[in-house]
Amino acid sequence: MLQITDLKVEEKMWPLLRQAFRPMFLLGATFSAVAMMLWLWVLSGTVQLPVFADVMFWHSHEMIFGFVAAIIVGFLLTAVQNWTGLRATHGRSLGMLTAVWLLGRISLLFGAYLPPIVPITLDLLFLPLATILLAMPLIAVKQQRNLFFVPVLLLLTLCNALMYYGRMTGRFDLQQVGSQNAVILITLLMAIVGGRVLPMFTANGTMTEKVQPIVWLDRLSLGSLWLIFALQITQLSSWLNGTALAILYGVAALLLAVRCARWKIWTTLRVPLLWSFHVAYWFLPIGLALFAWHHATGEVSVSTAIHALTVGAMGNMILSMLARVSLGHSGRPLQPKKIMSLAFLLVILAAVLRVFVAWFWPEATYQWYLFAGSAWIVAYLIYVVVYLPILTLPRADGRPG
């Protein structure tokens, strides 16, 4: 039985603070559109932002530790209620966590006017606070299966700290270790969560038989990602030559591709909440394959491979999950408005333009970046506008949350 606060107390609470997905999804999606818009203005020379460090650091940091981190935290602090049966973070504690996240974004955007310790401290507080709020109910009910998310969030905090340490000490290599390993760690998280829910979502949404997991395939595919992360975060990867790294990334890509192919994307073409999720997952092996190509030949830049994972996998999977979770946890049918299909297509377009078109036609790189960024902005603004009443009003079924 779900242990919840008294319904009368719940009704007096601002709906936005009743579940973590509400403020984190709304503010995270809004921030992603605003941050992308500011980035495009910087690229065009329209504005100069008074950010912490420089605009390249700000862009790479904020799209991961501002946008993606907010969505991860919103998802986990909402899901933990289903996992444990205990009331998840809400009310004042959720408001304080949200305020810490928001202050981090503001301080980094105007970091040029502040002592560096201010934005660094505010930003580094967010994930550890979220980790504590996640760990408390898991430990209370001794829920071992999902406890591994706690060290994952702490490792993500380590990556964040490495970015700052590298920047403040002039160690660009450590800054890169922090940012790239954060991407690999989130890739691993997407592979884990996707493997858990996508076969079930597909079976339920298409009324077909659920594809049963192959244990050795799951273990090898996830194990290969853990190995990549471990080698990179410890810098042991520097001991390997390009061929060895190419093989490692290539094997990981192949395993994830086989895993995803078994889930039969062709059965989902009439269900936007499903095909958008499948396409997002397919960008995981694509991104890893591009990393393999980079290490094997050098013909593909690290930036291209990184953006396959960030814009392609993260951008698409996050939007798909936002659309689904926001409906399900607000007591509404899993039937998004038709305009959300356009939003899904726009993020796919953004990924294709940023990763592939800009790669094949580098002479017009800025134009492709502009088109890709604009598609991203419109897609996430569609979500914000469509889901604003859903996230800020009480559940449709009258239940708490």
Side-chain angles (χ1 to χ4, degrees), residues 239-257:
W239 297 3
L240 302 177
N241 60 29
T243 301
L245 288 171
I247 292 172
L248 179 56
Y249 276 98
V251 168
L254 179 61
L255 290 170
L256 285 177

Side-chain angles (χ1 to χ4, degrees), residues 61-67 69 105 123 127 156 159-160 163 182:
H61 180 276
E62 289 299 84
M63 294 308 288
I64 294 296
F65 294 104
F67 165 52
R105 310 291 62 79
D123 182 54
L127 284 172
L156 202 55
C159 292
N160 195 8
M163 281 198 73

